[in-house]
Amino acid sequence: MRIAIVGSTGYIASYLIERLKNEKEITSVLRIDRSNANQKLELLRANEFDYDLLNSVEYVIFTAAISSPDQCANDFQTCWKINVEGTCTFIENALSRNCNVLFFSSDAVFGDDGGKAFNEESPTCAITPYGQMKKAVEDKFKEESGFKAIRLSYVVSSHDKFIKYCLECIQNNSAAEIFHPFYRNCITLSEVADIVIWMLCQWENYPHTFLNAAGLELISRIRLVDELNRQIGKNPRYTVTIPEESFFKNRPRITQMESKYIRTYRILKTRSFSERFRAELKGVTL
């Protein structure tokens, strides 16, 4: 199986590449990003990319995006050109070369709907600029047989921005500032890799366009800090802060997303968030 990963230097993609190295079905991984001289892609100039590089590729994993909700709101036009126009140009060219495209989308395509849990068949109702961008790509290609999308909830690991911040606060003996309320159906980084590998190997056996990468439990940032305390045996100090309304303008307080299919297709084992988080923190020392 010949794979190309777009946005290969990103947080999730870097981890995924290491995992793919251990998969016997994967024979090659083409890394495509802004800093790769041989396979350089600038999504603002997506037409300039040498798409012949994809002629021998079977699957494209598209992870590249400007994912900062505030940046997408504050510089909407530039981010739209990258996250929608450039992304669509690349995907169109990949599909025209008979590549199957696995697109990394987001729970932001749903937003907040007063306690309702969104599944793969729920209508999308993006209310933030970032969510609208992901929705635009989904809508454009959702009828294409070679296109599938994984919608990510918050991806937790020892290297994600929030957990790194908490670990640094513990090391520096400083109090972390925790915004609340802020809830997501967190998924772990290793689980995202498990889902991607399953999708690549079972592409023809999964007839749906979308898969929601979400845990069973709705997790707050306070719960994350408390779990961190339980798992590493430290006692992080923190203060709980209610953010100003401007913080929630570009990110809903709660996005409750669930999957109809992760358990149906036995893609992941059913485990509590505590178990999943413990596995993700294995090897972390302070």
Side-chain angles (χ1 to χ4, degrees):
M1 192 183 300
R2 300 178 298 276
I3 309 294
I5 297 185
V6 181
S8 60
T9 59
Y11 153 60
I12 297 176
S14 297
Y15 176 83
L16 183 57
I17 288 170
E18 292 304 310
R19 282 286 302 273
L20 291 176
K21 289 178 180 178
N22 299 319
E23 297 298 316
K24 61 182 181 180
E25 295 88 356
I26 310 299
T27 56
S28 64
V29 177
L30 179 68
R31 305 184 187 194
I32 300 172
D33 56 63
R34 295 177 62 185
S35 60
N36 194 321
N38 294 323
Q39 293 90 37
K40 185 174 182 178
L41 171 65
E42 174 55 72
L43 286 171
L44 279 173
R45 299 185 295 275
N47 285 322
E48 299 176 7
F49 184 74
D50 181 9
Y51 290 99
D52 286 343
L53 291 168
L54 302 179
N55 288 343
S56 61
V57 168
E58 296 171 273
Y59 294 90
V60 172
I61 305 171
F62 197 100
T63 71
I66 296 176
S67 57
S68 165
D70 295 324
Q71 187 176 352
C72 288
N74 296 333
D75 191 5
F76 183 86
Q77 288 187 340
T78 300
C79 293
W80 183 273
K81 289 178 181 177
I82 292 170
N83 288 353
V84 180
E85 294 175 10
T87 295
C88 288
T89 295
F90 189 97
I91 293 175
E92 284 174 335
N93 277 277
L95 292 172
S96 72
R97 285 164 170 77
N98 297 317
C99 299
N100 292 312
V101 177
L102 183 59
F103 174 65
F104 274 31
S105 189
S106 167
D107 61 3
V109 300
F110 295 119
D112 187 351
D113 191 23
K116 178 181 179 180
F118 300 97
N119 61 44
E120 287 87 351
E121 306 306 323
S122 300
T124 51
C125 51
I127 59 176
T128 65
Y130 177 63
Q132 290 163 5
M133 293 173 193
K134 289 297 186 182
K135 172 177 164 56
V137 177
E138 286 190 7
D139 288 348
K140 183 174 180 62
F141 296 107
K142 63 184 178 181
E143 302 300 330
E144 296 282 348
S145 60
F147 176 87
K148 297 185 190 297
I150 296 174
R151 294 167 173 153
L152 300 177
S153 184
Y154 189 86
V155 180
V156 178
S157 82
S158 60
H159 300 291
D160 83 68
K161 187 176 180 180
F162 178 71
I163 298 300
K164 284 178 67 176
Y165 165 67
C166 293
L167 291 171
E168 288 170 1
C169 288
I170 293 172
Q171 288 179 313
N172 298 330
N173 195 29
S174 59
E177 183 180 20
I178 309 302
F179 284 178
H180 185 78
F182 193 77
Y183 291 85
R184 297 293 185 269
N185 286 86
C186 297
I187 192 87
T188 68
L189 181 58
S190 59
E191 288 174 322
V192 171
D194 290 339
I195 290 170
V196 169
I197 292 168
W198 186 92
M199 289 286 281
L200 295 175
C201 295
Q202 300 293 328
W203 189 274
E204 299 299 333
N205 297 323
Y206 186 77
H208 314 286
T209 301
F210 303 111
L211 179 66
N212 292 351
L216 293 174
E217 300 169 70
L218 197 57
I219 305 295
S220 70
R221 287 188 172 183
I222 295 175
R223 169 79 182 275
L224 285 175
V225 179
D226 289 342
E227 287 288 350
L228 190 61
N229 176 28
R230 291 180 61 196
Q231 304 301 343
I232 67 175
K234 300 289 184 178
N235 188 20
R237 295 187 294 116
Y238 62 86
T239 59
V240 177
T241 301
I242 300 175
E244 296 181 1
E245 283 301 312
S246 58
F247 176 79
F248 295 114
K249 182 179 179 181
N250 300 320
R251 52 181 70 73
R253 290 172 172 80
I254 301 172
T255 299
Q256 191 170 357
M257 185 174 72
E258 63 184 9
S259 176
K260 293 176 61 177
Y261 303 126
I262 283 180
R263 275 83 203 170
T264 302
Y265 288 88
R266 298 181 180 179
I267 301 172
L268 298 176
K269 295 179 180 179
T270 300
R271 298 182 296 168
S272 70
F273 180 75
S274 296
E275 292 178 285
R276 295 155 53 220
F277 193 45
R278 183 186 307 119
E280 208 64 29
L281 291 176
K282 187 176 181 180
V284 172
T285 58
L286 294 174

